[in-house]
Amino acid sequence: MTPAKARDDLADAYVDLRPLLFSIAYRMLSSVSEAEDIVQESFVRYQRALADGTVVESPKAYLSAVVTRLAIDHLKSARVRRETYVGEWLPEPLVTDASADDPADHAERAESLSMSFLLVLERLTPVERAVFLLHDVFDYSFEEVGRIVSRTPATCRQHAVRARRFVGDNRPRFDASDSDRDELVRGFLTAATRGDIGGLIELLAEDVIVHGDGGGKVPQWSAPIEGADKVARMFAVLGLQQQRLGLTPETHRINGQPGIVFRGPHGGVMAVMSFEVVDGRVATIRSIVNPDKLDHLGPVESLRDVLDEARG
């Protein structure tokens, strides 16, 4: 293969396959930054293979295998790191608006992007997670999956059965209408901004639960907050505090679900909240304020810095 032909093949593969590879890597790792790093590394390896004269009959199969194997290896070390993580660990939020820039615009199959779904996947082994995603979400055959994860098709079927059963037992359930869910979250934001406890309670499920991820780097509640009354009172206070601190809320789709991106007084991203709606009520809220999990969204303003500035 000539150098020019290798460059053309690499460029074509990058345009055609990068969205798919990112979608696989993000669902494997629940991290935008780590997924992007792994996708980039896969193309570096593909480029080296072409430069060495390797004949790659299917760039999709080659790159899918590299991305999946790198993700499996990365997951093993990531789980060790998470044992010392301060507070609750949540996935990095991914903005999935229809107009969002690549790669979010190409992250398809919204249900398998939800925070709840990704947290269910965290409880599978890395190989089970890979087999389930490749076969059940991305429609790879068991023969293809077997070659990617270095297992027989029969073994992959066994992994898929176990994973499918576990995911089915724990799969989150969402209301069908995106517009209704979005409207509910807008009403929630309005009530919180007004400090309207009664209005908030009407929008919350009785057993609503709020999770927070600050990573020990910024203030965040140390344990989940449960119950409509507690959650309503907390967000009524937070809504008034939001105005005092000069924060600006923006509604977005976060991991395929209704969400809010909060910008600080200087325009930087300060927090992201994802909402899950069941039976017409907000059932789960996840708040990510760890700056390390927000910097892929643009310039970040630390909640700690904003609070210090307000006190000053």
Side-chain angles (χ1 to χ4, degrees):
M1 180 182 297
T2 65
K5 179 66 166 60
R7 285 195 299 270
D8 289 345
D9 287 353
L10 179 66
D12 290 344
Y14 191 84
V15 172
D16 295 340
L17 297 175
R18 185 176 181 274
L20 169 66
L21 299 174
F22 175 83
S23 294
I24 294 171
Y26 177 72
R27 287 169 176 80
M28 281 291 294
L29 301 173
S30 301
S31 167
V32 175
S33 55
E34 292 172 358
E36 289 176 339
D37 287 345
I38 279 181
V39 171
Q40 192 66 29
E41 175 62 20
S42 73
F43 280 103
V44 170
R45 297 190 182 194
Y46 181 52
Q47 182 179 30
R48 289 175 184 162
L50 294 178
D52 291 341
T54 303
V55 177
V56 179
E57 294 183 0
S58 171
K60 177 184 175 183
Y62 181 93
L63 288 163
S64 298
V66 174
V67 163
T68 302
R69 291 166 188 168
L70 288 173
I72 288 173
D73 290 341
H74 192 84
L75 267 181
K76 294 173 183 177
S77 60
R79 291 187 171 184
V80 174
R81 293 196 304 274
R82 287 172 196 170
E83 291 177 359
T84 59
Y85 194 82
V86 178
E88 281 197 89
W89 180 91
L90 295 175
E92 282 187 15
L94 180 67
V95 175
T96 53
D97 297 339
S99 59
D101 293 335
D102 177 75
D105 190 36
H106 301 283
E108 304 155 346
R109 304 169 178 86
E111 182 183 349
S112 65
L113 275 175
S114 74
M115 293 275 183
S116 287
F117 195 90
L118 293 175
L119 289 168
V120 170
L121 295 181
E122 285 290 316
R123 296 160 65 186
L124 300 175
T125 69
V127 172
E128 285 176 342
R129 186 169 183 167
V131 169
F132 175 79
L133 287 171
L134 290 171
H135 183 267
D136 284 38
V137 177
F138 293 101
D139 300 323
Y140 287 69
S141 70
F142 281 123
E143 287 71 20
E144 292 173 308
V145 175
R147 287 192 291 270
I148 289 172
V149 300
S150 301
R151 303 290 195 280
T152 67
T155 299
C156 289
R157 286 188 180 89
Q158 293 172 358
H159 282 309
V161 167
R162 287 194 295 269
R164 197 177 298 127
R165 183 182 302 119
F166 180 81
V167 170
D169 290 342
N170 295 276
R171 183 187 294 271
R173 180 172 61 89
F174 305 122
D175 286 355
S177 171
D178 287 347
S179 59
D180 288 348
R181 288 184 290 171
D182 292 341
E183 183 64 28
L184 183 66
V185 171
R186 284 193 290 269
F188 178 94
L189 181 59
T190 299
T193 303
R194 294 173 178 169
D196 182 0
I197 295 175
L200 286 167
I201 289 177
E202 290 181 0
L203 301 175
L204 298 171
E206 288 186 10
D207 57 350
V208 62
I209 184 166
V210 181
H211 301 273
D213 181 343
K217 300 190 175 184
V218 294
Q220 181 63 281
W221 41 88
S222 58
I225 311 298
E226 300 184 56
D229 185 68
K230 287 183 180 179
V231 171
R233 292 180 184 279
M234 179 179 70
F235 274 97
V237 172
L238 291 176
L240 297 175
Q241 186 183 51
Q242 163 204 317
Q243 299 178 69
R244 181 175 64 83
L245 294 176
L247 309 187
T248 303
E250 300 173 351
T251 55
H252 291 275
R253 306 295 294 178
I254 304 296
N255 288 73
Q257 305 301 316
I260 300 173
V261 173
F262 289 92
R263 295 191 177 274
H266 304 294
V269 176
M270 202 184 74
V272 171
M273 289 186 182
S274 173
F275 294 75
E276 292 177 0
V277 178
V278 178
D279 296 331
R281 300 287 185 97
V282 175
T284 307
I285 302 172
R286 294 185 174 89
S287 168
I288 298 95
V289 294
N290 182 346
D292 294 344
K293 294 189 174 184
L294 302 176
D295 59 6
H296 64 280
L297 299 174
V300 174
E301 285 186 52
S302 167
L303 175 58
R304 189 182 301 280
D305 292 341
V306 172
L307 291 172
D308 289 345
E309 184 177 325
R311 294 189 188 100

